[in-house]
Amino acid sequence: MKFLGNIAGAVIVLTAGAATAAPTASGLIGARKANFKEIGGAFKAINDEIKSGAPDLNAVRSASRELSTRATASLKYFPKGSGPQAGVKTRAKAAIWAQGADFAALQKQFVGQANALNAAAASGNVPGMTAARNALGATCKSCHDKFREAE
Amino acid sequence: MRLVHWALVLDIAALWWTGTERLLDWHRLAGYAMAALVLFRLAWGFVGSDTARFASFVQGPRRAYAYLRDELFDRHAPPHFGHNPLGGWSVAAMLGLLATQVALGTLAVDVDGIESGPFSYLVEFDTGRAAAEWHHLLFNVLLGLIALHIVAVVFYATYRRHNLVATMVTGSRPGTGHELSDRFVSVWVALAIMLLSAGLVWASVKYLGQV
C-alpha cells in the first residue's frame, strides 16, 4: 500500500509539475520584464536628477534604494528554460545560459554597482553618485549589448 | 531654400549614421540642426519666395488626383514651376514626418535609461521608450518616402525628360518662362529666419531641456 501511495504521490507531483511548467515560464518572464522596466524607470529618475544639476537627494535616494533591491531580485529571474525557447516573447538571448559564467559575472557587477550607487546616494555625495551612475550605466549597456536581443 | 534642401539631405544622412552607430551625443546635435531646419522651412512656407510657400503648392486631394490622372504620364504636359499638386503633398508629408521625428527624439529614452532626448525628463520611462520605438519605426517610413521621392525624380528625368535636380540647384526651370521665383525673398531675410530658428532651438534645449 505504501508503494502504491508513493506512486500516486509521484503521479500527482508530476502532473502538477507539467501543468504549471508553461504558465510558470510566461509568468516568470513577465515578472522579469516588469522588474527590469522598474529598474529602467528608477535609473531614469536618478539620471534626470543628476542631469538637472541640482539633484533632489530624496528622489535619488528612494530611486537608488528601489534600484538596488530590484537588482538583487533580478538574480532569481534567469532560470534555465526562460530564454527564447520558452515560447514567450523575450529579448533574453540563449547566450545567457550558453555563456553562463560571463553572464553571472555581469550580474554580480550589476548588483555590486547598484548597491554602490545606493550607498553614494545615502551619503549625499553628488560626485560619488555621478561616478557610481556612470559605472552602473556602462554595465547595463555591456550586458544588454551581449545578452539582450537588439531592437 | 535650395541650400536648406541639401542641408536636410546631409543632416538626415548624419542622423541615420549617428543613430545606427549609437553616437548619441552627435545624434542629439544633428537632431537640433534638424529642428532648426524644419522650423526654418515651416516659416519659409509662409513668408518665403513664391515657390516655397505652402499656399502655392499645397492643394486639395482632388487636384493631386487630377494631376496623377491627367498630367503625370503625359510627356507633353507643360512643366510646373515649383511643386506640382502631387509633389506638394510629398513635401508636406516629408516635413510633417521630420517634425514628428524631432519631437519623438527629444522625448526618447534608451533601454539602459542612460541616453535620452533633452525633454525626456518630462515623461515616464515607459513613455520615453515608446517614443524611442516610434522614432525607430517612423524612420523606416521616412526612408520609404525618400525612396519614393528619388523614384519620382528619376521618373521625371527619364520619362518626362525634366532635370529636377538641376532646378533644385540653380532654381531655374527651362520651359516655364521663369528664371527664378517671381517674388524672390532676399537671402538676408532667409538668413535672419535661419538664425532665429537656430536660436530658438538652442534656447529651448539650453533653458528647458536637460541633457
Side-chain angles (χ1 to χ4, degrees):
Chain A
M1 264 334 259
K2 195 174 173 216
F3 174 69
L4 277 181
N6 277 349
I7 288 183
V11 167
I12 287 167
V13 168
L14 278 177
T15 7
T20 52
T24 304
S26 90
L28 180 120
I29 290 171
R32 177 166 77 204
K33 285 184 190 171
N35 191 52
F36 274 107
K37 274 189 183 161
E38 292 297 329
I39 289 175
F43 198 47
K44 177 184 181 295
I46 295 164
N47 277 323
D48 287 348
E49 289 303 332
I50 292 179
K51 280 181 200 168
S52 77
D56 170 356
L57 286 179
N58 286 329
V60 177
R61 279 176 189 140
S62 74
S64 302
R65 245 192 326 270
E66 183 181 6
L67 204 163
S68 110
T69 311
R70 288 188 181 276
T72 306
S74 78
L75 297 176
K76 68 170 186 277
Y77 284 125
F78 292 94
K80 276 204 174 69
S82 65
Q85 79 281 18
V88 184
K89 204 176 154 227
T90 171
R91 293 190 189 276
K93 286 188 184 172
I96 290 173
W97 297 276
Q99 300 164 42
D102 289 357
F103 184 71
L106 281 166
Q107 278 184 311
K108 198 177 160 210
Q109 203 174 313
F110 168 42
V111 174
Q113 286 166 341
N115 291 338
L117 176 58
N118 189 28
S123 78
N125 163 13
V126 177
M129 271 158 37
T130 308
R133 183 266 319 240
N134 292 343
L136 177 58
T139 302
C140 296
K141 182 168 161 30
S142 67
C143 194
H144 284 156
D145 286 349
K146 202 166 174 189
F147 292 115
R148 183 179 187 274
E149 210 65 66
E151 297 189 15
Chain B
M1 181 56 228
R2 285 166 271 128
L3 201 63
V4 167
H5 172 265
W6 298 108
L8 283 170
V9 173
L10 290 179
D11 200 24
I12 290 171
L15 282 160
W16 189 4
W17 185 66
T18 54
T20 321
E21 296 295 316
R22 301 198 51 73
L23 302 167
L24 289 168
D25 286 331
W26 291 102
H27 189 77
R28 268 188 293 269
L29 288 177
Y32 304 153
M34 179 57 70
L37 289 169
V38 168
L39 269 183
F40 169 85
R41 184 61 187 91
L42 286 174
W44 205 239
F46 293 101
V47 302
S49 303
D50 266 355
T51 46
R53 294 202 181 193
F54 297 132
S56 79
F57 67 78
V58 179
Q59 294 170 333
R62 201 170 297 171
R63 286 288 304 276
Y65 177 70
Y67 179 83
L68 180 67
R69 193 187 50 200
D70 303 331
E71 279 187 66
L72 183 60
F73 297 101
D74 181 359
R75 284 206 169 102
H76 306 294
H80 284 254
F81 187 64
H83 300 291
N84 67 55
L86 198 58
W89 280 96
S90 140
V91 173
M94 197 86 87
L95 202 56
L97 203 52
L98 286 173
T100 311
Q101 283 296 72
V102 167
L104 286 173
T106 63
L107 298 175
V109 177
D110 78 341
V111 70
D112 313 323
I114 309 167
E115 297 287 357
S116 57
F119 299 128
S120 62
Y121 73 98
L122 299 169
V123 299
E124 299 272 324
F125 181 66
D126 282 352
T127 316
R129 287 304 299 145
E133 276 155 27
W134 278 100
H135 191 67
H136 193 79
L137 196 81
L138 284 185
F139 184 70
N140 292 322
V141 178
L142 182 66
L143 284 182
L145 260 185
I146 292 171
L148 189 67
H149 176 66
I150 293 172
V151 165
V153 170
V154 170
F155 166 80
Y156 277 94
T158 54
Y159 187 83
R160 297 274 301 257
R161 306 211 171 278
H162 298 166
N163 188 346
L164 298 181
V165 177
T167 301
M168 205 56 204
V169 174
T170 62
S172 70
R173 182 145 188 199
T176 56
H178 295 270
E179 276 310 305
L180 283 170
S181 273
D182 297 335
R183 183 169 34 173
F184 190 71
V185 176
S186 147
V187 173
W188 297 108
V189 177
L191 199 63
I193 296 177
M194 191 70 238
L195 284 176
L196 206 67
S197 308
L200 201 65
V201 171
W202 176 81
S204 17
V205 170
K206 167 117 177 128
Y207 296 106
L208 303 173
Q210 283 181 14
V211 183

